[in-house]
C-alpha cells in the first residue's frame, strides 16, 4: 500500500464561471494540496462525501445584484471548514451571510494597490511597498460590483481607493473574502496567500507531489488491471500518451502494448524519434504501423478542412481497431485523458459545466466497447503531467514542446494533402524550429510552426526564373490559447530562417510571416 494518501487533505473549489478558475485549481495543487473543481450548484450530500478541509468560491462574470444569479449552497457556510471567497465568491459570501453588494461607478480592471488596515492570518507580514510605513499589496482586480456592507461579525482587512472592502474576514469562523485575484501572477503575494489558506488555515499537508502521485497511480493501476490482464494504448509521442505509457509500463511491464500509427503527417524524423525513445531507451512493447499510404489515399482530392480532420480521425480509429483486434489477450484500453478534458467536455462532477469543446477521449467511445478503460491522468492538469514526465525520466525538450494538432500536418498543408507537400513542409518547419532553439527563442513563444500554402510564386534561382511554393511562418505568444498575439520575432532572425528555407528546401521560392492575432484569426490556419 502507498505510504502517503494523496487525497486525504483536499480542497473543494466551487466554480461560478471565472476565466481564472482552472488557474486557481492549479495554484492550490502547486501548493502540494489536491483539489477538485465542481459547479457551484453541487448538492450538500456530494460535498459531505468529498469531505474537503476547505472550500474556495471562485470569481464569475455574473453579478450578485441580478435576480437569479448564482449562489453557493447554504451548506458551505455550515460545513465547519474554512471558506475563501474570491471576487464574485467574496460578494456572494457577503450577500448570503447578510451583507450587501452593489454596482460601482468606478470599476477596477487590472493592477491595483491594496492598503492593509488590520491583521489577518492570510496576509500578516506581507508587503509590496517597502517605502511605505503601512503595508500595501500589489494585486490584480477584475470587478464591477463591490461589497458595500459587511456581514455580521466580519471585519474589514484591506481597501483600495475605490473599493472600501477589498478584503474581509471572520477569523472565528475561518471565513475570508478577497476582492482581488490571488491566483494570477500579477498579484505578487497571491501564491503565498493561497498557501497560507490551504496549509495554515485549512491544515492541509503537502502530499500532492509528483513522486507521491506516481506511486499512487502505479498502485491503483496494478489493482485495477490485476496480475494477468493486458492493456493496449495508442502512443502518439505527445505528452499525455507518453506519460500514460511510462506509468503503465512501471505498473504492468510487458503486459502493455503500445500502438504507434505513422499517418504520414508527422514532423521530420518524428516516427524514428518515438521508436528510439520508447522502444530502445525505455523498453516498451511498441507496434509501429506505417499507414502513410492509407491516409494519403483517403485524403486524396479533399480540400475542406473539417472534412480532412474527420477523414484523419476516422482512419486513425480504424487502424487502431484493426491492431487491437489482433491482440487477443488485451482486456483494457488506456487513454491519456487529463482533468481539463473532463471539465471542458461537461463531464465534471455534476455534469453541469458548460460545454466548451468535445474531446476525442471523453465520451467518444462506443457504448458496446468490450475493453475496460484505464485513465491514469484524469485527475491531472497538463503542467502536472509534464512534472510527472520529468520525474519518470522523459526529456525536458520533449515534454515542453509546443502543441501539435492531432491531425498533424493535415491542418498545416492548406487545401489538398499530398506527400510531396508534406515532405517540403517537414523540412521547412524543422529549419524554423532549429533556428528558434539556436536563438534561445523557442521557449519564449507559446507555439511556432510552418504552414504550406498551395500557391506558386515566382523566384529567381541562379540565372533562371522558377515558380515554386510559398510557406508561412507562424509564432504566437499566449497564456491560455484562447487569445494570442503574433510573436514579434527579430527581423534578422526571420531573414536568416527565410534564407535557409529557400536555399535548403527544394520547391520553395518564398517565405512569409503571419502577423495575425487571435482573434480575429485562429492560431492554426485550418
Amino acid at each position: 500500500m502507498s505510504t502517503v494518501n494523496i487525497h486525504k487533505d483536499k480542497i473543494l473549489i466551487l466554480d461560478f464561471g471565472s476565466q481564472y478558475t482552472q488557474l486557481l485549481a492549479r495554484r492550490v495543487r502547486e501548493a502540494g494540496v489536491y483539489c477538485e473543481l465542481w459547479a457551484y450548484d453541487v448538492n450538500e450530500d456530494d460535498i459531505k462525501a468529498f469531505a474537503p478541509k476547505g472550500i474556495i468560491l471562485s470569481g464569475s462574470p455574473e453579478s450578485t445584484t441580478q435576480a437569479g444569479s448564482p449562489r453557493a449552497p447554504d451548506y458551505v457556510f455550515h460545513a465547519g471548514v474554512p471558506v475563501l471567497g474570491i471576487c464574485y465568491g467574496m460578494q456572494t459570501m457577503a450577500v448570503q451571510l447578510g451583507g450587501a453588494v452593489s454596482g460601482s461607478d468606478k470599476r477596477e480592471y487590472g493592477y491595483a494597490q491594496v492598503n492593509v488596515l488590520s491583521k489577518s492570518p492570510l496576509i500578516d507580514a506581507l508587503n509590496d511597498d517597502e517605502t511605505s510605513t503601512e503595508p500595501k499589496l500589489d494585486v490584480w482586480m477584475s470587478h464591477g460590483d463591490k461589497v458595500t456592507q459587511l456581514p455580521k461579525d466580519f471585519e474589514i482587512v484591506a481597501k483600495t481607493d475605490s473599493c472600501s472592502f477589498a478584503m474581509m474576514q471572520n477569523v472565528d469562523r475561518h471565513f475570508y473574502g478577497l476582492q482581488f485575484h490571488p491566483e494570477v501572477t500579477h498579484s505578487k503575494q497571491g501564491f503565498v496567500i493561497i498557501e497560507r489558506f490551504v496549509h495554515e488555515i485549512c491544515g492541509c499537508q503537502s502530499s500532492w507531489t509528483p513522486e507521491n502521485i506516481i506511486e499512487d497511480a502505479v498502485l491503483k493501476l496494478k489493482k485495477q488491471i490485476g496480475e494477468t490482464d493486458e492493456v493496449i494504448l495508442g502512443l502518439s509521442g505527445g505528452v499525455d500518451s507518453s506519460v500514460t505509457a511510462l506509468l503503465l509500463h512501471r505498473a504492468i511491464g510487458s503486459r502493455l502494448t503500445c500502438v504507434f500509427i505513422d499517418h504520414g503527417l508527422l514532423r521530420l524524423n518524428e516516427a524514428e524519434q518515438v521508436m528510439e525513445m520508447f522502444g530502445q531507451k525505455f523498453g516498451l512493447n511498441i507496434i509501429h504501423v506505417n499507414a502513410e499510404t492509407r491516409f494519403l489515399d483517403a485524403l486524396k482530392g479533399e480540400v475542406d478542412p473539417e472534412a480532412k480532420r474527420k477523414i484523419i480521425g476516422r482512419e486513425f480509429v480504424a487502424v487502431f481497431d484493426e491492431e487491437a483486434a489482433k491482440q487477443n489477450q488485451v482486456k483494457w484500453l488506456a487513454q491519456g485523458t487529463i482533468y481539463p478534458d473532463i471539465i471542458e467536455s461537461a463531464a465534471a462532477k455534476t455534469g453541469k459545466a458548460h460545454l466548451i469543446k468535445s474531446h476525442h477521449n471523453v465520451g467518444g467511445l462506443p457504448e458496446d466497447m468490450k475493453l475496460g478503460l484505464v485513465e491514469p491522468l484524469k485527475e491531472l492538469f497538463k503542467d502536472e503531467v509534464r512534472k510527472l514526465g520529468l520525474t519518470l525520466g522523459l526529456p525536458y525538450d520533449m515534454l515542453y514542446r509546443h502543441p501539435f494538432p492531432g491531425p498533424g500536418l493535415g491542418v498545416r498543408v492548406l487545401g489538398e494533402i499530398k506527400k510531396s507537400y508534406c515532405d517540403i513542409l517537414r523540412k521547412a518547419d524543422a529549419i524554423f524550429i532549429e533556428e528558434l532553439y539556436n536563438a534561445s527563442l523557442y521557449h519564449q513563444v507559446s507555439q511556432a510552426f510552418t504552414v504550406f500554402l498551395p500557391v506558386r510564386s515566382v523566384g529567381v534561382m541562379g540565372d533562371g526564373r522558377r515558380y515554386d511554393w510559398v510557406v508561412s511562418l507562424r509564432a504566437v505568444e499566449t497564456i491560455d490559447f484562447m487569445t494570442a498575439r503574433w510573436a514579434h520575432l527579430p527581423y534578422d532572425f526571420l531573414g536568416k530562417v527565410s534564407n535557409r528555407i529557400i536555399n535548403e528546401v527544394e520547391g520553395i521560392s518564398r517565405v512569409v510571416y503571419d502577423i495575425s492575432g487571435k482573434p480575429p484569426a485562429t492560431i492554426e490556419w485550418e
Side-chain angles (χ1 to χ4, degrees):
M1 294 296 291
S2 173
T3 55
V4 178
N5 180 355
I6 60 174
H7 298 96
K8 177 176 176 289
D9 293 345
K10 51 200 172 187
I11 298 293
L12 175 60
I13 300 174
L14 295 186
D15 182 14
F16 291 88
S18 169
Q19 62 179 322
Y20 302 129
T21 307
Q22 285 195 33
L23 179 59
L24 175 59
R26 285 164 52 199
R27 292 287 181 262
V28 171
R29 293 187 180 193
E30 285 169 13
V33 178
Y34 179 69
C35 66
E36 287 190 12
L37 190 57
W38 293 4
Y40 68 88
D41 54 353
V42 64
N43 65 56
E44 178 179 329
D45 290 340
D46 281 339
I47 299 177
K48 288 180 177 177
F50 185 66
K53 296 196 77 171
I55 298 173
I56 300 178
L57 310 178
S58 85
S60 174
E62 306 280 352
S63 170
T64 58
T65 63
Q66 298 297 312
S69 55
R71 294 290 180 269
D74 288 337
Y75 175 72
V76 165
F77 305 109
H78 302 286
V81 299
V83 181
L84 174 63
I86 296 174
C87 198
Y88 184 94
M90 169 180 170
Q91 293 166 10
T92 196
M93 175 192 287
V95 169
Q96 291 182 245
L97 296 178
V101 171
S102 65
S104 174
D105 294 334
K106 186 175 181 182
R107 303 181 173 218
E108 285 186 304
Y109 291 102
Y111 167 81
Q113 191 169 64
V114 167
N115 300 299
V116 179
L117 305 176
S118 58
K119 286 187 169 294
S120 170
L122 280 184
I123 61 171
D124 281 349
L126 300 184
N127 184 20
D128 291 323
D129 187 353
E130 296 179 358
T131 64
S132 173
T133 55
E134 300 296 330
K136 300 178 187 295
L137 300 178
D138 293 333
V139 302
W140 186 261
M141 292 281 196
S142 181
H143 69 102
D145 296 347
K146 61 183 181 182
V147 174
T148 52
Q149 180 183 330
L150 293 180
K152 184 181 178 183
D153 298 327
F154 274 71
E155 64 174 327
I156 178 175
V157 178
K159 70 174 185 175
T160 68
D161 291 341
S162 61
C163 181
S164 299
F165 305 112
M167 181 174 174
M168 66 180 190
Q169 67 182 11
N170 181 326
V171 176
D172 292 338
R173 297 183 70 183
H174 307 295
F175 290 171
Y176 300 87
L178 306 175
Q179 188 54 69
F180 56 90
H181 287 270
E183 66 272 30
V184 302
T185 55
H186 306 290
S187 293
K188 291 183 180 178
Q189 304 290 344
F191 185 60
V192 176
I193 292 171
I194 290 171
E195 282 188 307
R196 287 188 179 183
F197 179 73
V198 299
H199 292 309
E200 298 175 18
I201 294 171
C202 297
C204 296
Q205 301 296 310
S206 295
S207 56
W208 188 257
T209 65
E211 295 78 9
N212 290 343
I213 295 169
I214 290 170
E215 181 184 6
D216 182 79
V218 168
L219 286 170
K220 285 182 176 176
L221 287 169
K222 287 180 176 180
K223 183 177 180 181
Q224 181 182 7
I225 297 164
E227 297 182 359
T228 58
D229 287 359
E230 296 187 6
V231 179
I232 193 166
L233 165 70
L235 178 65
S236 68
V239 173
D240 301 335
S241 68
S242 298
V243 174
T244 299
L246 291 190
L247 283 174
L248 281 161
H249 185 65
R250 183 171 288 198
I252 64 172
S254 61
R255 289 187 286 133
L256 168 67
T257 297
C258 298
V259 177
F260 174 67
I261 300 171
D262 182 356
H263 48 30
L265 304 169
L266 299 172
R267 289 164 286 200
L268 189 67
N269 301 325
E270 189 158 17
E272 294 82 356
Q273 291 166 1
V274 169
M275 294 303 297
E276 181 182 354
M277 170 77 67
F278 294 96
Q280 296 177 31
K281 179 179 177 181
F282 288 106
L284 272 63
N285 176 25
I286 307 178
I287 299 171
H288 181 187
V289 184
N290 188 341
E292 179 182 51
T293 301
R294 174 172 179 164
F295 277 81
L296 292 178
D297 285 348
L299 289 162
K300 196 170 184 179
E302 185 56 68
V303 298
D304 180 72
E306 192 59 30
K308 289 195 295 183
R309 286 178 181 271
K310 288 180 179 177
I311 290 168
I312 294 167
R314 180 192 71 208
E315 291 300 318
F316 201 92
V317 171
V319 173
F320 184 82
D321 285 349
E322 290 166 14
E323 293 301 324
K326 300 174 186 176
Q327 309 298 315
N328 296 327
Q329 303 305 312
V330 167
K331 298 289 192 291
W332 300 89
L333 169 66
Q335 291 196 132
T337 308
I338 63 175
Y339 195 36
D341 294 341
I342 294 171
I343 296 169
E344 293 177 359
S345 295
K349 182 71 178 178
T350 63
K352 296 187 179 73
H354 295 296
L355 179 64
I356 298 172
K357 57 183 175 181
S358 60
H359 288 262
H360 63 89
N361 51 357
V362 179
L365 298 170
E367 293 183 7
D368 60 349
M369 189 177 77
K370 296 180 174 61
L371 299 178
L373 193 59
V374 176
E375 297 176 308
L377 308 181
K378 66 182 180 180
E379 289 184 341
L380 304 179
F381 288 102
K382 182 71 110 183
D383 52 340
E384 295 175 308
V385 177
R386 289 192 173 103
K387 290 174 183 174
L388 255 62
L390 288 173
T391 306
L392 289 164
L394 288 169
Y396 180 92
D397 283 348
M398 186 210 131
L399 289 166
Y400 286 86
R401 277 197 305 185
H402 294 168
F404 188 63
L409 302 185
V411 293
R412 292 180 180 174
V413 172
L414 304 194
E416 184 181 5
I417 298 171
K418 297 181 180 180
K419 177 174 170 51
S420 60
Y421 297 170
C422 293
D423 289 342
I424 289 172
L425 178 57
R426 264 186 276 271
K427 293 174 184 176
D429 187 68
I431 289 171
F432 185 27
I433 300 304
E434 179 185 332
E435 289 298 335
L436 283 167
Y437 272 112
N438 290 343
S440 299
L441 290 169
Y442 184 82
H443 293 297
Q444 292 185 32
V445 299
S446 307
Q447 191 170 2
F449 54 91
T450 311
V451 179
F452 180 90
L453 310 182
V455 175
R456 286 190 185 273
S457 173
V458 69
V460 179
M461 304 290 180
D463 295 326
R465 290 162 65 87
R466 290 170 55 181
Y467 282 91
D468 280 330
W469 301 109
V470 181
V471 294
S472 174
L473 307 179
R474 176 77 158 143
V476 298
E477 297 170 353
T478 179
I479 293 184
D480 56 10
F481 288 88
M482 302 299 290
T483 62
R485 77 165 204 160
W486 61 275
H488 295 198
L489 297 176
Y491 292 156
D492 288 347
F493 169 82
L494 292 172
K496 183 178 183 180
V497 173
S498 174
N499 285 339
R500 278 199 62 191
I501 288 174
I502 293 172
N503 288 324
E504 297 177 31
V505 183
E506 179 133 12
I508 295 176
S509 66
R510 194 173 297 267
V511 176
V512 300
Y513 187 51
D514 181 353
I515 58 169
S516 311
K518 177 186 180 182
T522 55
I523 294 175
E524 297 285 348
W525 278 45
E526 285 194 342

